[in-house]
Amino acid sequence: MKNVYSATGLVLLALLFLALTILGGTALRGMRIDLTEQGLYTLSPGSINILEDLEEPVTLEFYFSEEASADLPMVRNFARRVQELLEEMAEHSDGNLKVRRVDPEPFSEAEDQAGSYGLEAVPTGSGGDSLYLGIVGTNTIDGLEVLPFISPSREQFLEYELARMVYLLSRPDKPRVGLLSGIDMDGGMDMQTGQQQDPWAIQEQISDMFEVERVNSEDESLPEDIDVLALVHPQELSDALLADIEAFLSEGGRLLAFVDPWAENATPANPNDPMAAMNMDRGSNLATLFDAWGVDFSAERFVADAGLALQVNTAESQRPVRHVGILGVTADNMNADDVITGELDAVNLASTGRLALAEDSPLEMEALMRSSEQAGLMDAERLQMLSDPSGLIDEMGATGEQYTLAARLTGEVPRVLGESDGQYPLNAIVVADVDMLADRYWVQRQRFFGTSMLEPFAGNGDFVINAIDNLIGNADLISVRSRATSNRPFTLVESLRREAEENLRATEQRLEGELAETEQRLTQLQQARGDSDLDILTKEQEAELDRFMEQRVEIRRQLRQVRRELDEDIEALGTRIKAVNIALMPAIVTLFALVMAWRKRRLRYRSDEVGGDGQ
């Protein structure tokens, strides 16, 4: 009979465990604890503000193919997380955000609707089934926003994309941006391949977010009713256009300007002319306005920075080398208190200039990005036909000064163009680099089942859109976008690499010096002999040559040792990180569980004592 009771008890315990599991899964559905440092899985305050400010209903329809994803568990798990995020957003909207899930089954009306909205149908196998994983947003006045396909690899961007969709649908009219570009951002035809190139990604993003009005440098006036004017590589602007730009600013207009002492990505008017690229003017400036405002811009010199230099591959070098003209500006060198840069991790720049204020300038300059203290100014012409950038390190001459690379300018400035005089309040953001807008410095294009996906590896695009949003006055969307990039650089590893490279370069320079000294000594010995047969070495020359060979072997050993120590330092760091992930974190969780069990036991013990005293 005792065995029967035991078996019955086990069955009851199993049923109780199953019931509690089902009940817990239902009751706690969607609940989570976000332990990531950046809070990647918690709805940001910016998203909450956008949702709470909704005044008109917005509907988001989540198209997901249940049957086509039956054999794709990772996709189904991702779809579940998308659904949970949508439901969480709906809870903060006071009923103004409606969420619907649609299963576009084959040959159904829902599938026809998905196709009409432009959702991507991804083939999943030989059976001919197609997977839909996209979102369609609508409002009450025929507004439409579409995410054709949500790639699981871009999950960290999902909240921003949804918040952006809701934000755009909540505004009947997009903000208007006037865009003047003296550099070809439209893509155009690749003369080498004969294929049409994609437009720059930043231009696509600006066009998606805002109503863009194009401006040409030959125009005499700006378009009407623009909110922000974006100037990219302005060259040879007409006097009439400059006067209208000043008039626009004097009436409360906002300015975002990208100037450059040496625009690497500028293209000549005739790409087929090999001399055109050498003779073209790669610099851009707003000298007339800058002089009136008291802005000192290094139009002919660029900032060389050994502390922020990125590695590049060259045909001359067998290994990557540091290019002091191509900079990776990290969060330590960006303004953490400004909404534009406060949450950015990295922005890449190339041959950037320096911004400063003259002593009599009426403006206040708030730096958004700065160089490191290992920086100096170099002539921009040094970059022409540069084959080996490693030589720039020896020429740059670091001054210990941190140079301003991008800045916010505010204050009362005099009006110097047009018919009227007086002063006006300026609100402008100036970046001393144009190349940062080019794709190769911040984003890669990936083809996913015929769809072009943008995979950013730096925050250049976020910086530009943040700047425009800030000038317009929207801070909520900036806060969501700025947390999108979850890729965090290994700053300690990068520091180890830089230190080892400095040691390696010092050793290489010592090798070259000793080589030159030995060759000079050999030449002097040959000249002192006076023999006609120079192919026969004396004993002194042979001894000198043997010494050089031994030195060369020793120095090569030292070079290998430096590289070995670099690898050992990085491997040791990786071992420590693995130890933390594999051993320390489970130990902390276990300790927490033991403490909670101990506390629970103490509480039960005290409860029993109280109960005993009461009796």
Side-chain angles (χ1 to χ4, degrees):
M1 180 67 85
K2 186 175 181 179
N3 292 336
V4 173
Y5 286 145
S6 299
T8 304
L10 290 174
V11 171
L12 291 176
L13 286 174
L15 292 175
L16 179 62
F17 174 77
L18 181 62
L20 290 175
T21 301
I22 296 174
L23 180 62
T26 303
L28 302 178
R29 182 187 179 194
M31 295 185 64
R32 57 190 179 180
I33 300 176
D34 189 353
L35 299 178
T36 60
E37 183 178 353
Q38 294 175 304
L40 295 175
Y41 303 102
T42 300
L43 206 61
S44 70
S47 294
I48 295 175
N49 290 339
I50 292 173
L51 294 166
E52 291 179 346
D53 290 342
L54 279 176
E55 298 180 356
E56 297 294 333
V58 170
T59 301
L60 298 183
E61 294 182 325
F62 177 33
Y63 283 76
F64 178 64
S65 304
E66 293 286 349
E67 184 177 348
S69 63
D71 298 328
L72 303 171
M74 293 183 63
V75 174
R76 294 181 68 87
N77 289 334
F78 174 66
R80 176 179 54 80
R81 294 194 294 272
V82 174
Q83 182 71 31
E84 290 177 353
L85 179 58
L86 288 170
E87 292 172 355
E88 186 174 355
M89 294 179 70
E91 290 180 0
H92 290 279
S93 68
D94 195 23
N96 284 322
L97 178 63
K98 309 295 183 182
V99 175
R100 292 182 53 224
R101 183 157 174 167
V102 181
D103 182 7
E105 298 178 347
F107 307 106
S108 66
E109 183 178 348
E111 185 182 42
D112 294 338
Q113 289 179 342
S116 66
Y117 285 132
L119 298 183
E120 296 289 340
V122 178
T124 59
S126 58
D129 293 338
S130 295
L131 172 69
Y132 287 91
L133 183 58
I135 295 179
V136 176
T138 56
N139 58 20
T140 57
I141 54 174
D142 298 329
L144 177 66
E145 294 291 331
V146 179
L147 290 177
F149 190 87
I150 311 172
S151 173
S153 64
R154 289 176 53 85
E155 183 175 2
Q156 71 268 29
F157 297 96
L158 182 58
E159 182 187 347
Y160 162 68
E161 290 177 336
L162 294 177
R164 169 186 172 274
M165 178 179 285
V166 173
Y167 172 75
L168 292 177
L169 290 171
S170 67
R171 302 191 59 172
D173 299 319
K174 292 183 179 180
R176 296 178 47 130
V177 175
L179 176 61
L180 184 152
S181 179
I183 198 168
D184 186 8
M185 301 169 61
D186 295 322
M189 185 69 66
D190 189 334
M191 297 301 177
Q192 295 181 348
T193 63
Q195 296 181 348
Q196 182 71 24
Q197 294 178 311
D198 292 320
W200 286 13
I202 190 61
Q203 178 171 293
E204 292 180 341
Q205 290 193 352
I206 294 175
S207 298
D208 287 342
M209 286 289 296
F210 312 103
E211 187 77 28
V212 176
E213 294 287 343
R214 300 302 294 262
V215 186
N216 296 317
S217 58
E218 300 85 7
D219 293 345
E220 295 186 355
S221 62
L222 296 174
E224 297 289 337
D225 300 327
I226 60 174
D227 300 296
V228 173
L229 174 62
L231 300 179
V232 179
H233 200 50
Q235 290 181 313
E236 300 179 357
L237 303 185
S238 66
D239 293 340
L241 182 58
L242 277 173
D244 201 50
I245 290 175
E246 187 182 58
F248 166 74
L249 298 176
S250 67
E251 295 170 0
R254 312 297 175 87
L255 174 68
L256 173 62
F258 296 87
V259 292
D260 203 315
W262 187 269
E264 297 277 356
N265 290 272
T267 55
N270 184 6
N272 295 323
D273 184 1
M275 297 299 296
M278 294 185 60
N279 297 328
M280 68 179 297
D281 181 8
R282 293 185 177 272
S284 56
N285 197 354
L286 283 173
T288 302
L289 295 177
F290 283 175
D291 290 345
W293 301 342
V295 175
D296 181 10
F297 167 59
S298 58
E300 298 177 351
R301 308 183 77 189
F302 74 96
V303 176
D305 191 339
L308 300 179
L310 294 179
Q311 287 186 329
V312 297
N313 294 314
T314 63
E316 290 74 13
S317 178
Q318 297 180 353
R319 55 185 173 83
V321 297
R322 297 281 175 185
H323 194 318
V324 296
I326 299 180
L327 312 181
V329 182
T330 61
D332 292 336
N333 295 87
M334 287 189 276
N335 191 335
D337 298 326
D338 196 286
V339 68
I340 296 176
T341 52
E343 297 296 331
L344 299 182
D345 291 327
V347 173
N348 295 335
L349 308 173
S351 57
T352 179
R354 181 267 295 142
L355 296 168
L357 290 182
E359 293 184 0
D360 58 347
S361 175
L363 292 175
E364 291 185 6
M365 174 180 287
E366 180 184 4
L368 298 177
M369 290 188 283
R370 285 181 174 175
S371 70
S372 75
E373 294 180 351
Q374 305 175 48
L377 296 177
M378 298 185 67
D379 290 337
E381 292 183 355
R382 180 66 178 84
L383 296 170
Q384 186 155 2
M385 306 298 292
L386 179 65
S387 58
D388 184 9
S390 63
L392 296 176
I393 298 179
D394 301 324
E395 304 174 22
M396 54 174 285
T399 62
E401 179 183 351
Q402 285 188 284
Y403 297 100
T404 299
L405 312 177
R408 183 192 297 276
L409 304 176
T410 55
E412 295 281 337
V413 295
R415 185 165 181 175
V416 295
L417 301 172
E419 298 179 356
S420 60
D421 298 326
Q423 293 184 325
Y424 62 92
L426 177 68
N427 190 341
I429 294 172
V430 178
V431 183
D433 182 43
V434 171
D435 298 301
M436 68 164 293
L437 304 176
D439 290 5
R440 64 177 179 143
Y441 293 106
W442 70 279
V443 68
Q444 289 181 333
R445 288 185 181 270
Q446 302 289 343
R447 295 292 176 179
F448 190 82
F449 292 99
T451 302
S452 179
M453 311 290 292
L454 299 178
E455 298 289 344
F457 53 83
N460 298 30
D462 293 338
F463 176 91
V464 176
I465 303 299
N466 284 357
I468 298 176
D469 265 334
N470 178 252
L471 291 172
I472 291 173
N474 176 46
D476 289 327
L477 202 57
I478 292 175
S479 66
V480 186
R481 180 189 305 108
S482 299
R483 45 183 261 131
T485 303
S486 62
N487 181 29
R488 303 175 62 196
F490 294 97
T491 54
L492 182 55
V493 173
E494 188 66 16
S495 177
L496 289 173
R497 289 190 186 278
R498 290 183 186 276
E499 182 178 354
E501 286 173 1
E502 290 177 2
N503 295 336
L504 178 63
R505 183 164 184 81
T507 307
E508 287 177 332
Q509 290 176 342
R510 181 161 59 87
L511 171 62
E512 294 172 355
E514 293 183 0
L515 173 61
E517 180 183 351
T518 303
E519 290 179 344
Q520 183 180 3
R521 178 61 178 161
L522 286 173
T523 301
Q524 292 174 352
L525 290 173
Q526 289 280 16
Q527 292 175 350
R529 284 182 55 192
D531 297 343
S532 58
D533 189 357
L534 300 180
D535 294 332
I536 301 176
L537 297 177
T538 66
K539 291 182 179 181
E540 189 177 6
Q541 288 174 315
E542 289 179 355
E544 189 76 11
L545 183 59
D546 290 341
R547 184 178 71 84
F548 165 67
M549 296 298 291
E550 292 175 0
Q551 287 179 346
R552 186 171 63 175
V553 170
E554 173 61 19
I555 294 176
R556 284 182 175 176
R557 186 194 66 78
Q558 294 178 16
L559 291 174
R560 290 194 299 271
Q561 181 64 23
V562 171
R563 293 192 179 99
R564 188 179 300 113
E565 290 176 356
L566 169 63
D567 295 336
E568 289 175 355
D569 289 341
I570 294 176
E571 185 176 351
L573 176 62
T575 301
R576 293 196 296 270
I577 294 174
K578 289 179 181 178
V580 170
N581 289 332
I582 296 174
L584 182 59
M585 290 306 298
I588 293 175
V589 173
T590 303
L591 179 62
F592 177 76
L594 291 174
V595 171
M596 294 299 295
W598 175 78
R599 289 189 59 188
K600 185 176 181 181
R601 190 172 182 180
R602 285 290 301 272
L603 291 173
R604 183 182 300 171
Y605 177 75
R606 291 179 180 177
S607 177
D608 291 343
E609 284 185 341
V610 172
D613 293 341
Q615 293 177 352

